């Protein structure tokens, strides 16, 4: 059965689901297939490099990546229960997040990584990545653990974001209250 993805609402900073840990997927059932399709559709609708289940309000360990958005050739990748096997080097680069619109900051991440995951067909595979795609992959795996990229900022730089973070928290509260048309102003 083919699962047609729906564009889902992206949860914003302040939503507790972004601070919760996703649980491992035990079986690739209809719900997981639909989740992967929705993640893909939502990521593409926002020209994202990647998206994690938490960002659309689901706590299952599933992420999607779009290598083409990072200049790669591969088709969209779905990673279930991704685990970091190796991470090497360090590189500083600007980073942003669909759950934190209007914020981009330079942070340090490993330059290369090797990740093990399960595919949608239930096969285990290993994915060696570097550059922008490695950054995106590590960023999405962080989401599954309730970690956001701003957590890596030194306290002083984080403090400079206080106003914007407060705006996002307010927007998130309104969205959670059901006013789904509210959009935060995005710089
Ligand atoms: Zn993100």
């Amino acid at each position: 059965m083919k699962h047609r993805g729906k564009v889902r609402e992206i949860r914003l900073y302040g939503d507790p689901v972004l601070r919760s840990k996703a649980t491992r997927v035990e079986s690739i059932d209809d719900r997981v297939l639909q989740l992967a399709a929705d993640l893909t559709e939502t990521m593409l609708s926002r020209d994202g490099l990647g998206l994690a289940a938490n960002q659309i309000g689901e706590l299952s360990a599933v992420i999607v990546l779009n290598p083409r958005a990072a200049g790669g050739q591969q088709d969209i990748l779905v990673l279930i229960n991704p685990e970091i096997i190796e991470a090497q080097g360090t590189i500083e680069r600007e980073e942003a997040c669909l759950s934190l619109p209007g914020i981009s900051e330079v942070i340090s991440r490993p330059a290369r990584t090797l990740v093990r995951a399960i595919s949608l067909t239930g096969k285990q595979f290993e994915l060696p990545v570097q550059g922008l795609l490695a950054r995106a992959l590590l960023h999405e795996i962080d989401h599954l653990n309730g970690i956001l990229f701003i957590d890596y900022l030194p306290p002083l730089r984080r403090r400079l974001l206080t106003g914007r973070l407060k705006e996002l928290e307010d927007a998130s509260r309104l969205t959670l209250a059901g006013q789904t048309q509210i959009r935060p102003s995005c710089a």
Side-chain angles (χ1 to χ4, degrees):
M1 183 180 138
K2 181 95 178 95
H3 290 73
R4 191 180 289 270
K6 291 185 296 289
V7 174
R8 306 263 301 261
E9 186 168 10
I10 297 203
R11 302 300 184 94
L12 295 177
Y13 178 84
D15 188 320
V17 78
L18 295 174
R19 288 306 193 183
S20 306
K21 279 193 178 213
T23 51
R24 285 176 67 82
V25 170
E26 298 301 338
S27 72
I28 301 168
D29 55 15
D30 231 46
R31 192 190 60 82
V32 171
L33 295 172
Q34 187 63 52
L35 171 59
D38 288 356
L39 279 169
T40 302
E41 215 48 44
T42 309
M43 171 179 71
L44 291 175
S45 78
R46 303 291 291 267
D47 293 324
L49 258 175
L51 198 65
N54 308 46
Q55 291 180 279
I56 59 168
E58 297 207 32
L59 288 172
S60 293
V62 181
I63 63 175
V64 291
L65 274 187
N66 185 9
R68 288 182 207 276
Q73 302 295 318
Q74 273 175 298
D75 277 333
I76 286 159
L77 294 163
V78 177
L79 292 94
I80 298 170
N81 301 339
E83 281 176 85
I84 299 165
I85 306 298
E86 275 174 38
Q88 291 171 335
T90 331
I91 195 156
E92 293 209 327
R93 189 167 181 160
E94 196 164 46
E95 202 162 311
C97 177
L98 291 172
S99 295
L100 289 147
I103 294 176
S104 63
E105 293 283 333
V106 173
I107 63 157
S108 189
R109 292 234 189 229
R112 293 174 295 284
T113 186
L114 177 67
V115 168
R116 182 183 293 153
I118 309 288
S119 74
L120 275 182
T121 55
K123 288 200 180 70
Q124 191 179 74
F125 65 100
E126 287 188 353
L127 183 67
V129 279
Q130 56 182 347
L132 190 52
L133 201 57
R135 175 165 294 261
L137 181 51
L138 293 167
H139 176 119
E140 302 314 333
I141 292 175
D142 274 352
H143 272 303
L144 297 179
N145 291 309
I147 298 166
L148 300 171
F149 81 96
I150 54 169
D151 298 349
Y152 296 107
L153 291 173
L156 188 64
R157 275 171 60 205
R158 170 93 178 236
R159 218 170 300 145
L160 294 173
L161 299 175
T162 307
R164 180 64 187 144
L165 292 175
K166 175 77 172 56
E167 283 174 10
L168 289 173
E169 279 175 339
D170 291 347
S172 174
R173 253 194 301 278
L174 288 170
T175 304
L176 287 175
Q179 296 183 35
T180 54
Q181 294 314 307
I182 302 280
R183 289 274 180 275
S185 60
C186 186

